[in-house]
Amino acid sequence: MRRRHSQLGFAGSIHFITTVTEVRGSVFVESSECKKILESFEVFRNKFELVCCGYVLMPDHLHAVLVQPNDGSHVSDAIGGFKRATSLKCKPARYPDTPLWRDNFDDVPVPGVEAAKTKLRYMLANPVRAGLVERPEEYEWSSAPEYYGGKSGIVTVTILSQ
């Protein structure tokens, strides 16, 4: 289920996605858990032919800036499928009786490339603000290493020029 905005599904629409775990705190802390989540995210990005301009997987949420390349499917369908697929396959064993994700997720339309760049700077700085790293490019579970250091991650990213 989406929150905030009606479903946008036109070619070139830019979306700022946030999905949060049911348990707040340190859900994604093990490298193997983070890797599984991002590999699944890449599968759904490919399946729905989405362009990912950036992402960050934090210990209890995922942010992404996505562009829909065609009019056929919706970004929210991809995120819903991703959440369903990962809800059992990627759930940490220490939370056996709790759903992995909250039912809702935010799908916020972004009005253009400059606004997308602002969203990217915000989300790529999340690990620094959370005290996980000193510089964004040090955080392995985001597109920051690709933006700031040229090192590719698990998810294929189309870089927006800074």
Side-chain angles (χ1 to χ4, degrees):
M1 179 186 297
R2 222 173 27 270
R3 283 194 305 187
R4 288 205 182 160
H5 299 281
S6 61
Q7 192 169 27
L8 295 176
F10 58 88
S13 58
I14 305 172
H15 303 255
F16 180 61
I17 301 294
T18 302
T19 188
V20 178
T21 59
E22 184 68 32
V23 175
R24 294 306 303 254
S26 298
V27 176
F28 305 122
V29 292
E30 301 293 326
S31 291
S32 61
E33 296 165 351
C34 297
K35 186 175 179 185
K36 278 199 293 188
I37 288 289
L38 291 178
E39 285 172 345
S40 292
F41 187 73
E42 176 66 358
V43 165
F44 278 86
R45 187 204 63 75
N46 273 320
K47 180 179 177 180
F48 285 83
E49 300 177 340
L50 299 173
V51 174
C52 180
C53 298
Y55 65 93
V56 62
L57 178 64
M58 296 296 287
D60 62 1
H61 65 280
L62 172 72
H63 286 305
V65 173
L66 303 171
V67 180
Q68 186 169 307
N70 59 51
D71 291 330
S73 59
H74 299 278
V75 169
S76 60
D77 295 334
I79 299 303
F82 161 75
K83 286 175 60 173
R84 282 188 298 281
T86 57
S87 64
L88 294 176
K89 183 174 97 172
C90 300
K91 186 163 86 168
R94 62 189 173 280
Y95 301 110
D97 300 324
T98 307
L100 178 59
W101 302 107
R102 290 188 178 177
D103 287 340
N104 295 331
F105 62 92
D106 290 339
D107 179 356
V108 179
V110 179
V113 174
E114 291 306 313
K117 289 178 186 178
T118 299
K119 293 289 188 188
L120 281 167
R121 284 189 292 274
Y122 161 78
M123 72 180 204
L124 295 180
N126 258 0
V128 175
R129 286 190 298 275
L132 301 173
V133 292
E134 289 187 21
R135 298 181 321 214
E137 60 270 24
E138 296 171 352
Y139 194 66
E140 181 177 7
W141 311 114
S142 80
S143 56
E146 195 160 347
Y147 267 89
Y148 301 120
K151 180 185 171 196
S152 296
I154 294 170
V155 178
T156 302
V157 173
T158 299
I159 301 289
L160 292 177
S161 58
Q162 297 283 336

